[in-house]
Amino acid sequence: MRFQLLGPLSIAHGPETVVLKPSKPTSLLAALLLHPGAVVSTGYLLHAVWDEEPPATARAALQTCVLRLRRLFEKYGISATTIEAVPGGYRMPNDNRTLDLVQFRFLAEEASASADPQEELYRLREALSLWHGPPLANVASLMLRRDAVPALEQERLRVLERVCDLELAAGNCHQVLVDLYEGARRHPVRERFTEQLIEALYRTGRQAEALAEYRTVRERLRDELGVDPGAGLRRLEMAILRAEEIGPPPTARPAVHRADVHRADLHRADVHRADLHRAGSPHPALPAPAPPAPGRVAERGALPPVPGFAGRAADRKAMVGQLASADGPRLVIVSGAPGIGKSALAHQCAYEAQGAFPGGVFSIALAGPDGDGLSTDEARGLLPEPDRDGGRQLLVLDDAAGAGQVLSLLPRAGDAAVLVTSRRGLAAVAATHGGAVHRLDVLDPAEAYELLAGLVGAGRIAAEDRSAHRLAAVCGHFPLALRIAAGRLLTRPGLSVADCAAWLAEDAPGRLALAEDVRLSVPEVFGRALDALPPEQRDAFLRLGSLGQEAALTAVAGEGVLEQLVDAGLLEDGPPGPHPYRLHHLLRVYARWYTERRLDAVLPAPP
């Protein structure tokens, strides 16, 4: 028996392969198989099966789906205990014998460990042979097809890139042209495929075709994105024009970590962004790196800068100095509202300070795709080993759920410098371990304008200067919202800044979202923070949204509840006096929007 994810979801039983029909049990099975061996929370499964707001009876219906899967398994001689009910959710303990995804990652890891290029190539080709079509083609879950399919495809493309590198290094330029044509045509923004194709054409004596490929991609990038080709492509063009010999491609292998073999959600869109950066693409539309998928560990020397980063000059200077100084604090905490740019600032500072850490910079996301935090054991298992040469290390703990999660990890971090991001204030961590604390506010108007200009293009923003400031205000000067607005402008070259600002202003909380990535969605990011609150705090936050800007927030809730909202990142300390608390404008608008939607859902439609 073998489950197959790398194509239509199916069960291979002896010589027979059964492709499952699209159904809720099929979506449930896909969600479990995507996390082999891991506990998948009930909340995540509900959203995977029902996509939108699950019905009130969803939990009972989920148990029915599990029973239907167990009956299906029984038909093919699969033990009913293959799906384990555990506290908080379900688990399927698959390995490389029972799931093609685990086997794919196992082969990729074996290839990475091989010292023989031919052995590595053989293993990688074997891994690619496991793919038999678009993954999850028969799975109805929009959430899984939106989040999981692109991530799986990125894993395949990274292996294919490495295969092409090895073939080119072996001089097999003719043999690899078919793969390269397909890769360059189907994935035009992955410049590495185009680089490899141009190199293969040039090394087989087809200089004119190689230059034609370069000029085609250059015009496409300029017309569609307003950018020039990356440094790698430009170097190839100059080498061809000068008739220089092009040596074999870089021998660096794609990083394959042991956690990849055990977790199905490690490679998300951040992998694609890193690939674009390595190819030298100055693509301005790339969002700041969202927290890496749970367990994603960035190895030393692999940390790129944050695309389009702007603002935070004082915090950035202080944090880089604190991290880089041998006498600086061992612990730096960055907290603030959801979407305010904590992860972007932390990763930019880690990038700028990485020269002070010869032992490596490591980044671990402490929250899963459904917003649930990793367990203590899961997080501890991802901590790096101390550097054998005694080199100083930097550990970035991203999106911590609370003080308890961080406190359980600090003793295991050894002498590493630790940079933590969290919506929570983590006062208990600071009180027991000291260090520096940076509480982020929204960007000031000049910083917000600078971020838009860096993402969209200085000329386009300057041409509508007043509208750009209006757009920044509509976004509440939140980095997340600004990047979403920039993404819309970049993908709609004919859209004016003024029209974009007016359109968003009509329904900012609902329209500040990009369908391609749930992490680039104001209602999703704010909604997860709201859902994490106890009922009393949630109701208080929603009531605060109905108040005017100058109203005394203490009239709505007691100081204890307001302080808890401050700790949760949904409220800010104000100046001493009659208004000791303040609510960010975009959060206020979101609270009203959320309340109105909730009322619309319960009130009967007018006759």
Side-chain angles (χ1 to χ4, degrees):
M1 179 277 301
R2 186 180 182 87
F3 294 103
Q4 296 178 336
L5 269 177
L6 305 181
L9 180 56
S10 56
I11 300 175
H13 181 65
E16 180 184 7
T17 298
V18 180
V19 178
L20 303 182
K21 296 180 179 180
S23 64
K24 287 181 170 57
T26 300
S27 295
L28 171 62
L29 178 59
L32 291 169
L33 292 174
L34 283 164
H35 303 78
V39 176
V40 186
S41 71
T42 301
Y44 179 82
L45 293 174
L46 292 176
H47 285 287
V49 174
W50 278 274
D51 283 312
E52 301 299 330
E53 195 68 27
T57 59
R59 289 181 180 270
L62 186 68
Q63 294 176 355
T64 302
C65 289
V66 172
L67 290 175
R68 289 174 63 186
L69 281 178
R70 286 173 172 164
R71 292 193 191 106
L72 176 67
F73 291 174
E74 184 179 359
K75 179 179 177 182
Y76 295 103
I78 304 172
S79 171
T81 59
T82 299
I83 299 181
E84 300 176 355
V86 296
Y90 293 89
R91 175 174 58 199
M92 289 189 69
N94 294 104
D95 57 24
N96 62 324
R97 296 168 299 174
T98 59
L99 179 60
D100 59 355
L101 177 61
V102 178
Q103 175 69 356
F104 172 80
R105 290 172 175 162
F106 176 77
L107 290 169
E109 185 183 35
E110 275 198 332
S112 181
S114 174
D116 179 7
Q118 288 302 314
E119 176 69 16
E120 181 185 1
L121 181 58
Y122 175 81
R123 293 297 181 193
L124 293 179
R125 286 287 190 192
E126 187 180 359
L128 289 174
S129 72
L130 295 172
W131 289 73
H132 49 283
L136 308 187
N138 56 332
V139 174
S141 171
L142 296 177
M143 186 188 92
L144 295 181
R145 293 171 68 177
R146 178 193 63 214
D147 295 345
V149 171
L152 292 174
E153 184 65 11
Q154 292 304 322
E155 292 191 60
R156 185 185 73 86
L157 292 177
R158 294 177 73 215
V159 170
L160 180 58
E161 282 181 356
R162 179 59 182 164
V163 164
C164 294
D165 274 341
L166 290 168
E167 295 280 22
L168 290 174
N172 301 327
C173 299
H174 285 288
Q175 294 89 324
V176 81
L177 277 173
V178 173
D179 285 333
L180 289 176
Y181 272 119
E182 180 183 4
R185 297 295 184 266
R186 291 191 178 184
H187 310 282
V189 297
R190 281 185 90 97
E191 291 189 18
R192 182 61 191 145
F193 280 132
T194 305
E195 287 179 27
Q196 292 170 324
L197 175 59
I198 292 173
E199 180 181 337
L201 289 170
Y202 179 59
R203 290 172 64 189
T204 53
R206 299 156 70 173
Q207 294 91 331
E209 290 181 59
L211 283 174
E213 285 292 334
Y214 173 81
R215 287 163 184 162
T216 298
V217 73
R218 179 185 63 190
E219 294 308 312
R220 186 182 68 245
L221 289 172
R222 287 179 175 175
D223 292 345
E224 297 180 7
L225 303 175
V227 298
D228 288 320
L233 281 171
R234 294 198 301 270
R235 283 194 298 269
L236 274 175
E237 182 204 23
M238 293 305 299
I240 296 171
L241 292 173
R242 294 169 179 168
E244 297 175 350
E245 183 176 350
I246 298 176
T251 58
R253 304 178 181 186
V256 179
H257 308 289
R258 182 156 298 277
D260 292 345
V261 181
H262 302 293
R263 301 186 62 91
D265 52 353
L266 298 192
H267 298 281
R268 296 172 65 87
D270 58 316
V271 178
H272 182 49
R273 284 190 284 271
D275 290 338
L276 283 170
H277 177 80
R278 282 195 295 274
S281 170
H283 191 325
L286 294 175
R296 175 67 190 274
V297 181
E299 293 290 349
R300 66 187 73 184
L303 200 64
V306 175
F309 189 88
R312 310 288 190 204
D315 283 304
R316 189 170 67 180
K317 180 179 179 181
M319 288 171 59
V320 171
Q322 290 159 354
L323 293 170
S325 172
D327 299 326
R330 175 173 166 262
L331 176 67
V332 177
I333 298 171
V334 184
S335 65
I340 209 152
K342 302 178 292 294
S343 295
L345 175 62
H347 284 88
Q348 181 66 20
C349 290
Y351 162 74
E352 295 181 14
Q354 63 184 326
F357 297 95
V361 176
F362 301 84
S363 178
I364 300 175
L366 297 180
D370 57 356
D372 292 342
L374 297 185
S375 69
T376 299
D377 288 341
E378 285 178 310
R380 284 177 177 171
L382 297 168
L383 293 175
E385 295 294 330
D387 184 63
R388 283 180 288 183
D389 297 325
R392 192 170 176 230
Q393 295 177 324
L394 173 60
L395 181 60
V396 181
L397 302 178
D398 209 357
D399 201 14
Q405 191 182 39
V406 177
L407 289 172
S408 69
L409 297 177
L410 289 179
R412 300 289 187 93
D415 294 328
V418 181
L419 175 55
V420 185
T421 74
S422 178
R423 290 197 307 269
R424 295 285 174 180
L426 304 184
V429 178
T432 56
H433 288 76
V437 179
H438 295 261
R439 176 82 177 191
L440 299 189
D441 207 332
V442 295
L443 299 175
D444 64 37
E447 290 175 327
Y449 183 93
E450 180 187 357
L451 180 58
L452 283 174
L455 293 170
V456 180
R460 186 174 175 186
I461 293 299
E464 296 186 74
D465 185 84
R466 182 173 297 180
S467 296
H469 283 288
R470 165 66 175 155
L471 177 60
V474 169
C475 293
H477 302 109
F478 267 72
L480 171 65
L482 291 164
R483 288 181 177 273
I484 293 170
R488 290 199 174 277
L489 287 169
L490 281 163
T491 54
R492 295 166 175 80
L495 179 65
S496 71
V497 178
D499 288 343
C500 181
W503 180 75
L504 289 176
E506 293 176 1
D507 182 18
R511 291 177 174 175
L512 279 168
L514 300 181
E516 296 89 347
D517 194 334
V518 70
R519 297 167 300 175
L520 292 173
S521 165
V522 164
E524 181 69 25
V525 172
F526 285 6
R528 286 183 177 177
L530 186 62
D531 290 344
L533 296 178
E536 182 184 13
Q537 296 175 35
R538 186 186 308 123
D539 292 344
F541 170 78
L542 295 175
R543 289 198 303 272
L544 294 177
S546 65
L547 300 179
Q549 189 67 37
E550 297 302 320
L553 303 186
T554 50
V556 169
E559 182 176 336
V561 172
L562 295 178
E563 283 293 322
Q564 289 169 331
L565 288 175
V566 171
D567 181 65
L570 295 174
L571 194 63
E572 301 300 318
D573 288 317
H579 305 296
Y581 301 98
R582 60 188 175 90
L583 185 62
H584 288 311
H585 171 71
L586 190 59
L587 282 167
R588 185 187 304 276
V589 174
Y590 169 78
R592 293 173 179 170
W593 175 85
Y594 183 93
T595 301
E596 289 169 0
R597 285 192 65 197
R598 191 166 62 172
L599 287 174
D600 289 343
V602 298
L603 292 177

